[in-house]
Amino acid sequence: MAAFKARAGWVVHDSHLLYGVAGVAITNFDYSGSFGCAFEETRDGFLFGAGWEGKISERGSLFVEYNHLESDTETNPCTVLGFLPTHTEAEADLDTVKLGFRYRLGN
């Protein structure tokens, strides 16, 4: 997944940051359904989420962030049992949670 997002938040007690994120994202999905129907496609959509970051030293912090990618439902051609042409609707939303450590270089 590639994302372009903005982050805005509020500092709480000088060492905690609560924030929201919003933007756009693009990702690749592999779909595998019943009776041999399978396809791969690239989806884009709106991304939104929220997070927390806590300072643990002058340069280091821990964070947790939730993101939700919302994309439209699309109808895709498919072949069932290897020879029957059909169409299938695929909804491709994605939820992610990131945990991490940030270290700031420089002064």
Side-chain angles (χ1 to χ4, degrees):
M1 176 172 70
F4 177 76
K5 59 186 177 180
R7 176 170 86 158
W10 302 268
V11 175
V12 181
H13 300 294
D14 295 331
S15 61
H16 299 276
L17 175 67
L18 297 175
Y19 60 90
V21 294
V24 294
I26 187 168
T27 190
N28 193 45
F29 285 95
D30 292 325
Y31 175 84
S32 180
S34 55
F35 305 109
C37 181
F39 56 87
E40 177 183 322
E41 66 182 354
T42 300
R43 292 281 186 96
D44 60 357
F46 294 106
L47 179 130
F48 56 89
W52 168 86
E53 186 168 347
K55 185 177 178 180
I56 59 172
S57 72
E58 263 317 295
R59 295 184 183 210
S61 64
L62 298 174
F63 73 92
V64 59
E65 182 177 299
Y66 165 77
N67 289 301
H68 176 77
L69 170 61
E70 182 77 31
S71 64
D72 293 332
T73 300
E74 293 185 12
T75 302
N76 297 290
C78 195
T79 304
V80 176
L81 299 175
F83 65 93
L84 295 172
T86 187
H87 288 81
T88 186
E89 287 187 356
E91 183 178 349
D93 294 342
L94 180 64
D95 294 294
T96 62
V97 175
K98 297 190 301 185
L99 302 171
F101 172 76
R102 288 192 175 102
Y103 186 79
R104 288 156 191 81
L105 300 174
N107 293 331

